[in-house]
């Protein structure tokens, strides 16, 4: 289906250009479609006889995914333990304890259920489980000597695209978020069923949709993006933007069809992210989550309008293509983002200068299309967060 979307887009542009070169590495088997879990029972039997389910406090239950997995395991005679200690912005120590539990219970594989937090945590649990020498924050530096446990992911939000990325974002002992990634952080299978997102509250739906849109846009202008990843970015942005506009005006959660659109758009943005990575909105957004508890999607989205101004300077043609795909212009988009991202706190000069120092080595600036740097970022924060 996607192939035809691309062919259609290329033909409608009237040419297949020499710029169509791409490379694509994403070693994840994504399963979707009607009753996808029950249609693919055999993968679980093949993975083993004992499973550790890694999840947060409520999402696995509210979404219905936990019941579905437990029923399946009972039918297949697969033993399981449930580790539900994963919080938002998961801590390395909780992931380490999950890994230890997987070892102690001789789990053959892990199933991660939830939004980006439990999914990212489940990736780390698989690494800790088979690498006894890695403890807590060592995960950022120690070598992974043994292959991680095989992992199945079931997403319950439509934002991070963690299902398809080789990235895990964890919170270190010092309270700072840091991502880790590479070939050891990919799931083996993804059960992609948007019905598990239907229970998301309105606020989480908005924040995660903004996150996915940031992934699509930031990865699109990354120096690492290529022909194919840009197509995924455009497709995703085109799917998400109108639904964000609708949510803004109705203040109501999307219907089931719209939730399906949001969920698959978040995976397409994940494909693009996997190639291009994120720009400065994501790098800067972590600080708002750490210090002010702003949900991840909103924390990144507040910086996206400035990012778009930079992209217009750097690559006006691609910028226009993106705006055309979303059928919008800067003023409309800025208005939408300002409405969703209006926070009631100020950030002091002292705090801003500590961010400026910290961001001096932030790689996300280099992965953005202009020379916007940590000093500029400090001015932007002052502009947005000082009344
Ligand atoms: P989340 O932190 O996983 O979940 C946010 C909240 O929504 C939690 O309270 C969660 O409950 C609840 N929730 C999730 N699904 C639900 C459902 N279907 N029904 C009812 N409640 C539900 O949110 P997220 O935005 O998906 O993930 C954010 C994390 O992902 C951040 O740590 C971010 O840095 C990371 N991230 C990772 C990547 C990547 O490539 N790996 C990319 C972007 C962001 P529970 O607490 O019970 O789970
Ligand atoms: Fe994100």
């Amino acid at each position: 289906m996607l192939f035809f979307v691309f062919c259609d887009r290329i033909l409608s542009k009237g040419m297949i250009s020499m710029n169509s070169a791409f490379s694509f590495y994403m070693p994840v088997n994504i399963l979707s479609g009607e009753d996808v879990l029950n249609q693919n029972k055999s993968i679980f039997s093949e993975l083993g006889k004992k499973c550790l389910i890694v999840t947060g406090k409520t999402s696995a239950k509210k979404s219905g995914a936990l019941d579905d997995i437990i029923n399946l395991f009972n039918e297949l005679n697969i033993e399981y333990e449930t580790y539900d200690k994963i919080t938002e912005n998961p801590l390395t120590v909780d992931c380490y304890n999950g890994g230890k539990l997987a070892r102690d219970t001789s789990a053959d594989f892990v199933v991660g259920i939830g939004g980006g937090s439990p999914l990212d945590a489940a990736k780390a649990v698989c690494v800790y489980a088979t690498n006894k020498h890695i403890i807590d924050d060592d995960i950022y530096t120690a070598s992974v000597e043994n292959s991680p446990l095989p992992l199945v992911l079931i997403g319950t939000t439509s934002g991070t695209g963690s299902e398809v990325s080789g990235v895990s974002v964890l919170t270190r002992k010092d309270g700072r978020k840091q991502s880790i990634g590479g070939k050891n952080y990919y799931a083996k299978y993804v059960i992609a069923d948007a019905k598990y997102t239907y229970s998301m509250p309105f606020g989480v739906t908005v924040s995660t949709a903004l996150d996915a849109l940031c992934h699509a846009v930031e990865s699109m202008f990354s120096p690492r993006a290529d022909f194919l990843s840009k197509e995924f970015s455009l497709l995703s942005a085109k799917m998400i933007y109108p639904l964000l506009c609708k949510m803004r005006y109705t203040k109501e959660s999307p219907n089931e069809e719209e939730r399906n659109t949001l969920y698959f758009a978040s995976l397409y943005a994940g494909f693009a992210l996997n190639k291009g990575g994120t720009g400065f909105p994501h790098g800067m957004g972590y600080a708002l989550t750490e210090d002010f508890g702003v949900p991840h999607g909103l924390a990144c989205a507040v910086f996206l309008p400035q990012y778009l101004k930079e992209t217009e300077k750097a690559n006006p043609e691609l910028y226009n293509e993106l705006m055309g795909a979303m059928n919008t212009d800067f003023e409309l988009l800025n208005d939408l983002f300002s409405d969703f991202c209006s926070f009631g706190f100020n950030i002091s000069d002292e705090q801003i200068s500590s961010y400026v120092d910290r961001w001096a080595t932030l790689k996300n600036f280099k992965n953005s299309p202009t020379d916007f740097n940590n000093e500029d970022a400090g001015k932007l924060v002052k502009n947005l967060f000082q009344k």
Side-chain angles (χ1 to χ4, degrees):
M1 199 307 244
L2 273 175
F3 176 74
F4 293 115
V5 173
F6 291 140
C7 289
D8 188 48
R9 275 184 46 75
I10 293 163
L11 292 174
S12 71
K13 283 181 189 170
M15 59 166 188
I16 295 179
S17 90
M18 289 300 287
N19 295 330
S20 312
F22 69 91
S23 62
F24 193 71
Y25 176 75
M26 207 200 62
V28 184
N29 195 339
I30 304 166
L31 304 165
S32 70
E34 186 78 14
D35 198 22
V36 54
L37 188 61
N38 285 311
Q39 294 302 321
N40 291 280
K41 290 176 187 171
S42 60
I43 65 164
F44 295 96
S45 309
E46 282 160 21
L47 287 171
K49 280 272 155 222
K50 284 187 180 171
C51 173
L52 181 72
I53 300 170
V54 174
T55 187
K57 265 277 148 297
T58 63
S59 52
K61 294 188 194 101
K62 285 185 186 158
S63 65
L66 187 64
D67 279 350
D68 287 354
I69 273 287
I70 289 175
N71 288 339
L72 191 69
F73 284 177
N74 287 339
E75 182 188 328
L76 299 173
N77 288 321
I78 293 174
E79 288 176 36
Y80 64 90
E81 292 277 337
T82 306
Y83 181 68
D84 65 0
K85 301 272 183 297
I86 303 303
T87 57
E88 290 182 44
N89 309 299
L91 307 174
T92 51
V93 64
D94 287 338
C95 300
Y96 169 76
N97 286 330
K100 193 167 172 306
L101 182 61
R103 256 198 318 271
D104 293 347
T105 56
S106 308
D108 299 311
F109 66 102
V110 170
V111 170
I113 305 176
S117 298
L119 301 193
D120 283 359
K123 295 175 187 180
V125 164
C126 291
V127 170
Y128 285 119
T130 53
N131 292 274
K132 218 173 170 177
H133 64 288
I134 306 182
I135 296 167
D136 301 346
D137 286 3
D138 294 347
I139 196 163
Y140 293 109
T141 49
S143 63
V144 177
E145 283 163 14
N146 305 307
S147 298
L149 286 181
L151 174 64
V152 182
L153 291 179
I154 305 179
T156 67
T157 62
S158 43
T160 68
S162 175
E163 293 93 323
V164 299
S165 77
V167 174
S168 168
V169 186
L170 306 176
T171 300
R172 305 183 311 219
K173 282 184 160 171
D174 66 1
R176 296 298 178 200
K177 284 167 74 84
Q178 186 180 341
S179 66
I180 181 165
K183 66 177 173 43
N184 293 311
Y185 290 85
Y186 284 101
K188 193 169 174 66
Y189 293 101
V190 170
I191 301 292
D193 194 336
K195 77 176 178 199
Y196 297 130
T197 69
Y198 294 174
S199 55
M200 258 194 305
F202 179 78
V204 180
T205 309
V206 168
S207 177
T208 55
L210 286 167
D211 186 26
L213 185 58
C214 288
H215 295 163
V217 174
E218 290 171 45
S219 60
M220 184 167 166
F221 292 91
S222 150
R224 283 149 44 192
D226 64 20
F227 160 75
L228 185 63
S229 69
K230 283 176 190 165
E231 292 295 329
F232 279 123
S233 287
L234 284 168
L235 177 64
S236 176
K238 190 177 181 169
M239 290 163 80
I240 297 168
Y241 188 78
L243 292 173
L244 278 169
C245 294
K246 189 173 174 197
M247 284 191 274
R248 178 189 181 191
Y249 286 107
T250 62
K251 305 269 183 264
E252 280 173 15
S253 290
N255 61 34
E256 292 184 2
E257 191 184 344
E258 291 163 343
R259 286 210 186 265
N260 271 272
T261 300
L262 286 175
Y263 182 66
F264 285 98
S266 78
L267 296 189
Y268 303 153
F271 297 164
L273 182 72
N274 207 34
K275 178 73 191 186
T278 52
F280 68 74
H282 262 70
M284 294 172 67
Y286 285 174
L288 300 186
T289 300
E290 291 160 0
D291 296 339
F292 302 94
V294 178
H296 172 71
L298 298 176
C300 302
V302 68
F303 301 120
L304 198 78
Q306 181 64 39
Y307 182 86
L308 282 168
K309 282 187 194 164
E310 301 296 322
T311 63
E312 188 178 15
K313 274 189 264 170
N315 193 339
E317 203 183 320
L318 197 59
Y319 171 89
N320 286 331
E321 202 176 347
L322 173 67
M323 290 302 186
M326 294 191 290
N327 196 18
T328 193
D329 59 28
F330 182 79
E331 277 66 37
L332 288 171
L333 183 144
N334 191 31
D335 196 40
L336 175 82
F337 273 58
S338 310
D339 199 24
F340 282 135
C341 305
S342 49
F343 312 120
F345 56 85
N346 274 14
I347 304 185
S348 68
D349 283 335
E350 199 185 18
Q351 185 84 309
I352 292 173
S353 58
S354 80
Y355 292 157
V356 171
D357 290 347
R358 191 175 145 205
W359 290 337
T361 54
L362 196 68
K363 290 190 186 121
N364 301 66
F365 291 120
K366 291 247 174 332
N367 206 38
S368 303
T370 63
D371 54 7
F372 186 90
N373 62 21
N374 58 327
E375 302 283 346
D376 301 317
K379 287 180 203 144
L380 175 60
V381 174
K382 198 171 169 63
N383 197 20
L384 290 171
F385 292 96
Q386 290 191 349
K387 304 274 150 22

